[in-house]
Amino acid sequence: MGAGVSKQVERRKAIDTQKKSLCDLKEKNGCNFPGYDYHVQDRKNWMSTLAPEKLHVNQIVWPGTHDSATDEIGIPFISRPFAQCQSLSIYQQLVTGVRVLDIRVQEDRHVCHGILLCYHVDVVINDVKKFLSETHSEIIILEIRTEFGHDDPPDFDKYLEAELGEFLIHQDDNVFNKTIAELLPKRIICVWKPGKSPKPSQGSPLWSSCYLKDNWIDTDLPEKKFESNMKYLSEQPPVTSRKFFYRVENTVTPQADNPVLWVKPVTERIHPYARLFIMECISRGYGDRLQIFSSDFINEDFVDACIGLTNARIEGQL
């Protein structure tokens, strides 16, 4: 018992120390990166606002959400806090400006996070379609994967093609150098990551997992995640010379050996430092590598930071 208590005390000290380190870094260097003060009036149509004929796919800093479809997961007040990573619906996220969705499914096509279930994936698809029907030039990256430990939904690729076919941008390396206007009227880059089923092939309406990469760091320590994210990002080619999307997730994860197991209080350890991460990317020479930037419990300020940096790239400020 004594050893366990001592371990938790040391863990709490480590968390507090790392939070202070990030706070001190923010105080020292600030967050005034190019575009930091840009505020789009209409987040629902922000790609339209930035001019689709000028905006290239590889210039965009795509605001994304981690475990996007968990707003109604589990049982409220009982199991939900252990798995909920977003409080907004898919439609609300898209209206807020999110353009990359991370959806996990199990064999019966229900969205899940580990063993906990949410709604049927039809809810996600219908929200996406509703948003697309209300906008004209917004492009979405929709990643759908089979959750770890679960079986693939049967014929799920056919389901996605049937439901989204008219909107799907086909798998093609040339997409990265195109403008948004050149992709229209197609609207969705859909990445399907099955567990054992055949992966989408070149030219398919769906994109394979090799086109969306990340380096997941499983930790609840904020500075460790911050610096690990930076390290892995530094190892990537510039966005203008790569033919895949690379994602950085500004999140930390509850650990089984820690008494704090609810997602929200844990992820709040790093949540306030999204703008600092962008600032440090630029000051350390990696500003040309940031592409997809994702968060738990997305908010407008996070979206604005991504849009602001995107606009700075268009204006040649980087």
Side-chain angles (χ1 to χ4, degrees):
M1 176 69 74
V5 171
S6 178
K7 180 181 178 181
Q8 294 306 322
V9 169
E10 291 303 312
R11 184 64 161 240
R12 173 49 58 185
K13 287 181 180 178
I15 291 168
D16 290 344
T17 298
Q18 293 202 12
K19 287 169 63 178
K20 184 177 186 305
S21 294
L22 292 177
C23 185
D24 290 347
L25 186 63
K26 184 176 182 179
E27 182 71 23
K28 176 183 176 183
N29 294 346
C31 299
N32 294 354
F33 53 84
Y36 80 97
D37 55 351
Y38 183 87
H39 297 289
V40 67
Q41 295 300 310
D42 183 6
R43 295 183 185 88
K44 185 176 181 179
N45 291 285
W46 67 262
M47 288 184 175
S48 299
T49 302
L50 296 186
E53 68 278 1
K54 295 197 306 180
L55 180 57
H56 286 78
V57 170
N58 59 17
Q59 288 179 308
I60 299 170
V61 180
W62 300 74
T65 47
H66 165 246
D67 260 313
S68 305
T70 53
D71 53 304
E72 295 183 11
I73 200 163
I75 303 171
F77 309 110
I78 299 175
S79 59
R80 183 169 297 172
F82 297 97
Q84 184 183 32
C85 298
Q86 307 298 330
S87 56
L88 301 178
S89 70
I90 295 298
Y91 175 75
Q92 290 169 332
Q93 290 174 42
L94 293 169
V95 169
T96 302
V98 170
R99 294 295 177 266
V100 182
L101 299 172
D102 161 24
I103 311 296
R104 290 92 180 287
V105 295
Q106 63 175 26
E107 188 175 11
D108 64 359
R109 297 184 182 175
H110 276 79
V111 176
C112 60
H113 185 181
I115 62 172
L116 295 180
L117 300 183
C118 199
Y119 34 67
H120 195 276
V121 74
D122 282 349
V123 175
V124 174
I125 300 301
N126 289 337
D127 273 8
V128 168
K129 286 180 175 179
K130 179 182 179 183
F131 174 76
L132 294 180
S133 73
E134 297 172 354
T135 58
H136 301 289
S137 304
E138 305 304 302
I139 303 295
I140 299 168
I141 300 175
L142 173 62
E143 178 200 25
I144 305 187
R145 70 177 90 171
T146 301
E147 177 70 314
F148 180 78
H150 292 274
D151 293 328
D152 297 326
D155 297 320
F156 197 66
D157 54 345
K158 294 182 177 63
Y159 162 80
L160 292 172
E161 291 177 30
E163 290 293 325
L164 300 173
E166 64 180 299
F167 302 110
L168 294 176
I169 299 166
H170 286 217
Q171 185 179 148
D172 179 4
D173 287 358
N174 293 317
V175 164
F176 296 93
N177 294 320
K178 291 185 176 181
T179 64
I180 295 302
E182 289 174 314
L183 297 180
L184 298 174
K186 304 299 185 181
R187 309 280 298 281
I188 302 173
I189 296 172
C190 185
V191 180
W192 165 228
K193 295 185 176 182
K196 296 179 181 179
S197 302
K199 297 174 174 56
S201 58
Q202 189 68 24
S204 165
L206 307 177
W207 293 59
S208 66
S209 61
C210 66
Y211 284 101
L212 178 49
K213 302 180 181 181
D214 54 30
N215 292 96
W216 176 250
I217 304 102
D218 186 15
T219 181
D220 63 351
L221 298 173
E223 187 183 23
K224 179 180 178 180
K225 184 63 175 285
F226 187 98
E227 293 298 338
S228 295
N229 279 342
M230 193 70 68
K231 173 183 177 294
Y232 286 119
L233 182 65
S234 74
E235 296 168 355
Q236 306 306 314
V239 292
T240 53
S241 63
R242 66 178 183 238
K243 301 298 183 183
F244 61 88
F245 295 101
Y246 185 78
R247 173 171 51 202
V248 172
E249 294 187 311
N250 190 59
T251 62
V252 286
T253 311
Q255 300 298 301
D257 64 348
N258 192 283
V260 183
L261 295 175
W262 289 11
V263 174
K264 191 160 190 177
V266 172
T267 204
E268 283 294 334
R269 297 169 188 169
I270 198 170
H271 204 269
Y273 302 107
R275 286 179 174 267
L276 176 64
F277 186 84
I278 294 175
M279 181 65 191
E280 288 299 301
C281 282
I282 295 169
S283 65
R284 299 185 198 187
Y286 314 136
D288 61 349
R289 303 174 198 194
L290 187 61
Q291 191 170 39
I292 296 176
F293 197 28
S294 293
S295 177
D296 288 330
F297 298 100
I298 195 78
N299 59 29
E300 293 176 346
D301 184 71
F302 186 96
V303 170
D304 284 351
C306 295
I307 299 172
L309 187 59
T310 300
N311 187 62
R313 284 179 172 172
I314 296 172
E315 299 298 326
Q317 299 175 22
L318 289 174

